Amino acid sequence: MTEITRRNTLKLMSAALFAGASFSLLARNAFSAGTITVLNWQGYGTDEAWSVKAFAEKAGIEVVHDYYSSESEMLTKLRTNPGAYDLVVLNAARCAQAVAENLLQPIDFAKVPNVATVDDNLRSNPNFSKDGKGYAVPWVWGMTSLAVREGLPKPASYAALADPAFKGRVAMDDDAIINVALGALMTGQDMNNPKDLDAVTKALKSIKPNVKLLWSTEDQWNKSFAAKEFDLSMFWSGGSVRSKRNSKLPVEFVVPKEGAIGWVDGLGIPASAPNAEGALAFANWLIDPAFYVEWATKAGAPASSNSAALKGLPEDDLSRQVHKAEYLKSMSIMSALPDDRREAFNNLWQEVKAFYAE
């Protein structure tokens, strides 16, 4: 899921047009002026027109962008274009790989004052650090867990997916990494490196009598849920917010006792960044409540790493209600997978899918 399916949801975010944001903690004279180049997915927060305009006016720094279409492409661009980028958005799973290849420089957190209210569970993620030094500013996060039709009992465990009460009423995300993670959590294993893949396979196969649908896009999920084809599903936290808010679907996001399958994106400074000072200023802005609340309420956004930013959302905001701070303590965050493990996960899921089809 982490690279493609999560990013498909970005297509649903409309461009925000509001330009009245403030820079509550950004002192213009504390950072260098000039231009910075950001490497990111297109349409993913950093290139909001109102934001870069306000940032340029307040900080005197112009923001330009280059884009990637996969995280492997992002790493290739960092490797082959030294000196081209000042800031890069990268998933925690890829950050560890970039640090190992010396593609990132340590973050001077003294120049990112808004990090003071970033959740400690995200700052301490081992994928973002090495030898006691941080290499990324945690930016946004989200989860994959259970979505259930309103009015039905809230599942206390992922075991509900195999409960006969949901016979023929379950939808599964057609993604190998997510499903192996699910099977690992169901069997009490490390979701990033389960040692007993046979147990994972058995757990996933136990869901077969209940599986109605394997979905791959948010639009497909919404249409099938609206048609009452299923009542329980693995789903994304942000997707559940959009489904309820935009499509008016009666869905409730539930994190069971095993915890959610989490992801977090960070803001890194390439080792050869020509304007690291300006990039740190922009990173500070991207975790500022003034930016986040505007992005989240006008365009739609994942959960901010900054607890102060999440608290800045209205009390009745669905994203605030779904992305509870307590989940950061219980969820497991997806880490980088070596090629052989990724292949094993893909093969396992193909076997399970074939079993479902029998």
Side-chain angles (χ1 to χ4, degrees):
M1 168 203 172
T2 54
E3 289 188 19
I4 304 300
T5 55
R6 185 170 83 243
R7 302 306 173 180
N8 284 341
T9 67
L10 301 177
K11 298 176 182 178
L12 301 176
M13 296 181 180
S14 61
L17 299 176
F18 186 88
S22 65
F23 281 64
S24 59
L25 293 178
L26 181 63
R28 175 171 181 169
N29 60 5
F31 303 104
S32 64
T35 299
I36 61 168
T37 300
V38 178
L39 181 62
N40 192 7
W41 306 89
Q42 188 167 13
Y44 189 35
T46 63
D47 56 1
E48 292 286 330
W50 63 268
S51 173
V52 296
K53 180 175 182 291
F55 182 76
E57 291 174 351
K58 296 292 185 178
I61 301 172
E62 180 186 1
V63 179
V64 298
H65 278 78
D66 188 18
Y67 300 107
Y68 53 83
S69 57
S70 71
E71 290 180 335
S72 57
E73 181 188 1
M74 174 269 295
L75 289 173
T76 297
K77 287 197 170 198
L78 290 180
R79 295 181 189 117
T80 58
N81 296 284
Y85 307 112
D86 301 290
L87 188 73
V88 58
V89 175
L90 69 177
N91 187 265
R94 293 294 186 176
C95 186
Q97 184 176 354
V99 171
E101 295 184 32
N102 298 315
L103 296 174
L104 301 178
Q105 60 180 269
I107 298 292
D108 184 352
F109 287 105
K111 296 178 179 177
V112 191
N114 283 321
V115 82
T117 45
V118 165
D119 189 275
D120 288 340
N121 289 284
L122 297 179
R123 282 196 64 182
S124 62
N125 186 288
N127 292 292
F128 284 157
S129 60
K130 181 182 179 182
D131 299 331
K133 297 178 180 179
Y135 284 82
V137 178
W139 182 37
V140 290
W141 62 278
M143 305 170 284
T144 298
S145 189
L146 295 174
V148 65
R149 192 172 298 274
E150 288 181 348
L152 296 178
K154 295 182 183 179
S157 168
Y158 287 118
L161 293 165
D163 188 329
F166 288 102
K167 184 175 181 179
R169 305 298 298 167
V170 166
M172 299 290 286
D173 184 354
D174 187 8
D175 182 275
I177 309 305
I178 287 297
N179 282 291
V180 172
L182 166 64
L185 292 176
M186 291 176 71
T187 55
Q189 301 187 68
D190 178 354
M191 73 173 199
N192 290 304
N193 189 20
K195 300 301 183 182
D196 189 348
L197 291 182
D198 288 339
V200 171
T201 302
K202 184 178 179 180
L204 294 175
K205 286 184 175 181
S206 72
I207 304 172
K208 177 181 178 178
N210 294 357
V211 177
K212 172 68 174 180
L213 171 72
L214 297 181
W215 61 274
S216 58
T217 69
E218 189 168 313
D219 181 64
Q220 180 188 12
W221 193 97
N222 285 336
K223 289 178 178 177
S224 297
F225 188 80
K228 299 183 178 180
E229 294 180 10
F230 63 89
D231 296 316
L232 180 65
S233 175
M234 293 295 290
F235 199 32
W236 313 318
S237 55
S240 73
V241 171
R242 289 183 293 274
S243 296
K244 190 168 186 174
R245 182 179 61 195
N246 302 337
S247 301
K248 311 302 181 185
L249 296 177
V251 58
E252 188 164 7
F253 190 78
V254 178
V255 176
K257 63 182 182 181
E258 297 90 348
I261 300 166
W263 60 267
V264 57
D265 284 343
L267 307 166
I269 309 295
S272 55
N275 191 357
E277 295 281 312
L280 289 170
F282 192 52
N284 189 60
W285 167 237
L286 292 173
I287 60 171
D288 193 305
F291 163 78
Y292 178 73
V293 171
E294 201 63 40
W295 181 31
T297 56
K298 301 298 184 184
S304 175
S305 66
N306 188 346
S307 58
L310 273 179
K311 290 177 181 177
L313 294 173
E315 288 283 350
D316 61 351
D317 184 87
L318 288 173
S319 184
R320 177 173 176 172
Q321 294 174 0
V322 165
H323 297 99
K324 299 177 181 178
E326 64 196 67
Y327 296 152
L328 288 170
K329 297 178 175 60
S330 63
M331 75 181 188
S332 299
I333 295 178
M334 302 177 82
S335 295
L337 298 176
D339 291 341
D340 58 344
R341 194 180 307 162
R342 184 178 294 274
E343 182 180 4
F345 288 6
N346 286 331
N347 290 340
L348 186 157
W349 180 233
Q350 291 304 314
E351 177 186 340
V352 171
K353 286 205 298 182
F355 179 74
Y356 288 167
E358 290 178 356

